[in-house]
Amino acid sequence: MPTTTFRIGGELEVRRLGFGAMRLPTEPGPAREDSLAVVRRAVELGVTLIDTAHLYGWGANEELLAEALYPYPEGVLITTKVGIARSGPASEWKLDGRPAVLRDQVEQALRRLRVERIELLQLHRIDPETPLDDQLGTLRELQSEGKIGRIGLSEVTVDELQQARAVVDVVSVQNRYNMLDREHDPVLAACEAAGIAFLPWHPVAMGAAGANGEIAAMAAELDATPTQVALAWLLDRSPVVLPIPGTSRTSHLEENLAAERVRLGPTHRDRLDRLSGPARNSEAEE
């Protein structure tokens, strides 16, 4: 039976099945009110790990979480990401790991989240145009200043993870990964060996899980939904995996969290482990 909690960095204990806030509408109106309700319901149901980023609405998502939850209930960890910035008059995004940009985005996140310290801050992407030592060195400085508690990475290779660990203590990695898209199996293996939390973004392959005959058949056998089977597989995959499925609907939130109750036996796992296929998503749609 998979464990239900994990200690990030050996210290921050969270429920393994978390919540990704990217999909939450932030514009004023009924949809925003629904977003606030979903976040609050997630915490009511025991979610303690919530993922956001500067990219999500250029900070609007961070502000939404603060409005919904501040003052934060004890044990709730909100992790955010920096390192992607607006570019040009059309506000297109680009990787930007320059020290001044990273520092500014962290300062903005502190203000928007209404905190003095971000317990887990992740580099959204490694900027190939800025030396890695400069990017991680900036985060290390912010850590020394008490503005960051712990440092994570996103969408990295095994080699990049090794390089980063030579500069800072990496406690989490957030890569694209799901039952039908296992490109980053080597990264997960490296994280498991080092006790690093692995947060799969895009943890359910959109409609692909429901369209897959094997997954749909197993869902019927287990009295579950294909989404629940996909999440249960992730929880069973490794104790360091912390899925962060996102939704803007309370019903879907409750469906996702119920995946913890789905029990996969050896035969189920063997059948699912044989499934794999292409499942891609835009890097900006994390």
Side-chain angles (χ1 to χ4, degrees):
M1 177 177 172
T3 58
T4 58
T5 62
F6 181 82
R7 290 185 180 272
I8 299 176
E11 300 171 319
L12 296 176
E13 185 171 17
V14 296
R15 181 179 177 180
R16 287 180 59 204
L17 194 49
F19 178 74
M22 185 199 75
R23 298 182 183 279
L24 296 175
T26 58
E27 294 297 323
R32 181 184 179 89
E33 295 305 312
D34 290 343
S35 295
L36 296 171
V38 168
V39 175
R40 290 166 181 153
R41 181 59 175 157
V43 173
E44 287 176 0
L45 293 173
V47 169
T48 54
L49 172 61
I50 299 176
D51 175 78
T52 184
H54 177 82
L55 173 65
Y56 306 162
W58 305 113
N61 198 270
E62 294 170 334
E63 292 176 338
L64 177 81
L65 294 179
E67 181 179 343
L69 299 175
Y70 186 86
Y72 301 108
E74 184 176 357
V76 170
L77 171 65
I78 296 181
T79 173
T80 192
K81 299 183 288 294
V82 297
I84 294 181
R86 297 183 196 234
S87 175
S91 293
E92 297 176 349
W93 66 274
K94 68 171 184 176
L95 305 184
D96 197 336
R98 291 175 295 170
V101 171
L102 296 180
R103 180 172 284 276
D104 179 62
Q105 290 186 1
V106 169
E107 294 287 356
Q108 290 182 47
L110 290 168
R111 174 178 55 80
R112 289 170 172 147
L113 291 171
R114 308 180 199 177
V115 296
E116 295 182 356
R117 170 181 161 114
I118 298 168
E119 292 298 336
L120 175 58
L121 188 285
Q122 301 178 102
L123 184 62
H124 209 148
R125 294 289 189 275
I126 293 176
D127 177 4
E129 297 183 3
T130 302
L132 181 60
D133 284 357
D134 289 354
Q135 297 174 68
L136 296 179
T138 300
L139 300 186
R140 185 178 56 206
E141 290 172 3
L142 289 162
Q143 188 178 43
S144 297
E145 295 167 15
K147 296 179 179 180
I148 294 174
R150 296 152 194 85
I151 297 170
L153 304 172
S154 180
E155 207 61 11
V156 292
T157 64
V158 172
D159 287 344
E160 289 169 336
L161 176 58
Q162 291 177 336
Q163 293 172 32
R165 294 184 68 202
V167 182
V168 296
D169 181 22
V170 178
V171 303
S172 69
V173 168
Q174 186 169 331
N175 278 22
R176 187 195 66 248
Y177 189 81
N178 59 62
M179 184 162 47
L180 301 178
D181 180 8
R182 307 180 199 173
E183 176 185 345
H184 293 297
D185 263 333
V187 180
L188 171 54
C191 288
E192 186 172 28
I196 295 171
F198 184 88
L199 285 63
W201 65 266
H202 197 27
V204 179
M206 308 295 270
N212 183 284
E214 183 68 15
I215 299 173
M218 188 174 298
E221 293 173 21
L222 296 171
D223 192 24
T225 67
T227 293
Q228 289 171 339
V229 170
L231 292 172
W233 180 84
L234 283 171
L235 292 171
D236 192 75
R237 177 69 180 79
S238 167
V240 306
V241 172
L242 281 58
I244 46 172
T247 180
S248 60
R249 296 174 57 181
T250 301
S251 60
H252 286 168
L253 168 71
E254 294 173 350
E255 174 190 352
N256 292 341
L257 295 179
E260 283 184 339
R261 299 196 292 269
V262 177
R263 296 289 173 255
L264 301 179
T267 302
H268 298 128
R269 289 194 296 270
D270 183 61
R271 287 162 58 188
L272 294 174
D273 286 346
R274 289 197 296 263
L275 299 176
S276 186
R280 295 293 183 266
N281 196 15
S282 167
E283 287 186 346
E285 294 178 358
E286 177 178 323

